[in-house]
Amino acid sequence: MLELVGAAVKYPYGARLFGAVDAVFSDGEITAVVGGEGSGKTSFLKMLVGAVETEGSVLLDGVPAGADRNAAVMVFDDGALFPFRSAAYNIGYPLRVRKAARDDRDRRVREAAEIMDVAACLPFAVRGLNAEEKRRISLSRLFVREAGLIVIDEPTGGLSRAEAERVWARLAPLLRDKAKGGCTVVYSTSDPAEAISVSDRIIALHGGEIRQTGTPSDFVTHPADIWAAQAIEPRYNVATCTLSEENGVLKLGFGDGRALDISALRGRIAAEYVGREVYAGWYPRRAGRPLAALTGEDGFCEKTAFAQRTLHGAVITTENGFVVEGEECAESADIRPSAEGLTLFERNGERSIMREDK
């Protein structure tokens, strides 16, 4: 078990990241850390393994992180490879520094290379290999020795889309197996699909702050703020609206004559925001579904600016920048969010003003 108690990273020039984090990463749990460039993902992972100076406590099975060098294994986003050394030397390097017997080391290197499908690369210098092979070699280090904590920084970082999909397709089930064996797995990614695919929990970072922690479904049903929603869906729709109440009807006005009756959300929206401007947010899949009562219905159909077919239907972007996922491409799209898919956020801070479902 990995436990954080008031943990923060403080740099010499005064920056202090993550505030004071209290969290528990259970044995067998897989956690994805998501965020854009500069969000603090690498620093967060280094904090978990004791690779940076940390305030508070980071404990792995009750022992301070980094105190037992055999307790955790981390693969950095750059691979940390020796370019003029062979793939075999690079994979076996963690065993070399631990003075493992040569026969045992060679056996483990072969097994790890076979796991990541790079056994054919073992005799060759890393500098002559392609990006995908280099990444697979660095990831092979996860399997040359046993550890209670596995930490991976951007498993598919720097790869083309096709390369990333192949590497992730190989790695993801291996991480599940590690977790089933009781290992705690934490990985960072900029790819929302990778974040959701195998994780039990997601931590969303922005600007060195944790914006939300929860299950993938928590992010879909109750995003804590706009940054958290966009971390798992960059196409998340956001519109400036006015929240009002007329004759007992709770309305969301879009400022151009369009208005939604959102009375179904009464009791879930903080009352002090009635009469004020808010942000309305919804996922592309939550658009196009009518609410119980609606005014200005035709006004929610917008002309299509771009439409793209997918294996599951179509993704339509309207002229005003809203994104809708539908069954097929069309010249116009209904952008209305469904009641269950709508989240309102405050204008200052962009935090959710929604209460949990009753």
Side-chain angles (χ1 to χ4, degrees):
M1 182 179 71
L2 178 66
E3 183 178 10
L4 277 61
V5 182
V9 174
K10 188 174 183 179
Y11 288 99
Y13 52 83
R16 188 171 183 271
L17 306 183
F18 316 123
V21 183
D22 295 319
V24 174
F25 301 80
S26 302
D27 296 342
E29 183 179 44
I30 302 178
T31 301
V33 181
V34 299
E37 186 176 352
S39 61
K41 298 192 298 296
T42 299
S43 294
F44 187 84
L45 297 189
K46 287 182 177 180
M47 178 176 69
L48 300 184
V49 297
V52 291
E53 186 175 349
T54 306
E55 296 180 356
S57 300
V58 180
L59 304 174
L60 181 57
D61 294 331
V63 178
D68 181 357
R69 65 178 187 170
N70 295 313
V73 57
M74 178 173 180
V75 171
F76 293 91
D77 58 344
D78 61 0
L81 299 175
F82 301 101
F84 294 96
R85 292 284 193 169
S86 69
Y89 180 93
N90 276 277
I91 295 174
Y93 183 75
L95 301 177
R96 286 178 177 272
V97 298
R98 289 167 175 80
K99 303 186 183 302
R102 181 171 181 173
D103 290 346
D104 183 47
R105 185 179 72 229
D106 291 345
R107 176 184 58 81
R108 293 196 202 181
V109 167
R110 285 194 304 271
E111 291 175 351
E114 288 171 358
I115 288 173
M116 288 306 300
D117 294 331
V118 284
C121 300
L122 288 177
F124 301 105
V126 166
R127 72 177 186 273
L129 303 178
N130 63 39
E132 181 178 346
E133 290 167 335
K134 291 176 181 177
R135 196 58 185 159
R136 286 175 180 263
I137 287 166
S138 66
L139 292 170
S140 296
R141 290 174 172 170
L142 298 173
F143 307 103
V144 294
R145 64 183 185 86
E146 295 298 323
L149 172 65
I150 286 180
V151 178
I152 317 170
D153 195 8
E154 294 281 2
T156 62
L159 301 179
S160 69
R161 181 175 179 179
E163 291 170 339
E165 289 177 350
R166 287 194 297 267
V167 170
W168 186 249
R170 183 58 180 160
L171 180 63
L174 297 172
L175 296 182
R176 287 196 193 99
D177 290 343
K178 283 288 187 180
K180 287 178 181 177
C183 186
T184 301
V185 179
V186 185
Y187 66 95
S188 71
T189 179
S190 302
D191 186 336
E194 288 182 8
I196 294 171
S197 62
V198 297
S199 65
D200 302 303
R201 175 169 52 168
I202 295 175
I203 297 176
L205 300 180
H206 177 73
E209 296 181 1
I210 295 177
R211 307 306 291 248
Q212 184 171 356
T213 298
T215 65
S217 62
D218 289 336
F219 278 76
V220 173
T221 57
H222 301 292
D225 62 19
I226 293 175
W227 292 105
Q230 291 178 336
I232 64 166
E233 176 51 88
R235 302 170 304 176
Y236 190 72
N237 294 306
V238 179
T240 302
C241 299
T242 301
L243 187 62
S244 64
E245 186 168 9
E246 299 177 15
N247 300 321
V249 177
L250 194 62
K251 290 186 177 182
L252 193 65
F254 282 70
D256 53 5
R258 300 184 291 190
L260 291 175
D261 180 344
I262 59 170
S263 297
L265 298 179
R266 187 182 300 278
R268 290 195 56 211
I269 302 172
E272 62 267 25
Y273 288 92
V274 176
R276 295 165 58 178
E277 278 195 344
V278 296
Y279 287 124
W282 66 97
Y283 291 93
R285 287 187 183 179
R286 299 297 182 99
R289 303 175 187 176
L291 300 179
L294 182 69
T295 61
E297 179 173 350
D298 293 340
F300 282 90
C301 287
E302 294 191 355
K303 189 173 181 181
T304 298
F306 177 74
Q308 180 180 8
R309 291 187 180 89
T310 71
L311 291 175
H312 308 288
V315 177
I316 300 172
T317 303
T318 71
E319 289 186 336
N320 287 328
F322 295 107
V323 181
V324 177
E325 291 188 10
E327 295 182 356
E328 59 185 16
C329 297
E331 294 183 356
S332 62
D334 184 354
I335 68 165
R336 286 173 293 178
S338 62
E340 68 271 17
L342 184 67
T343 302
L344 302 185
F345 306 91
E346 61 183 4
R347 290 294 304 275
N348 296 324
E350 302 179 354
R351 302 290 296 179
S352 171
I353 60 173
M354 310 288 289
R355 298 189 178 97
E356 297 290 335
D357 295 311
K358 291 186 177 180

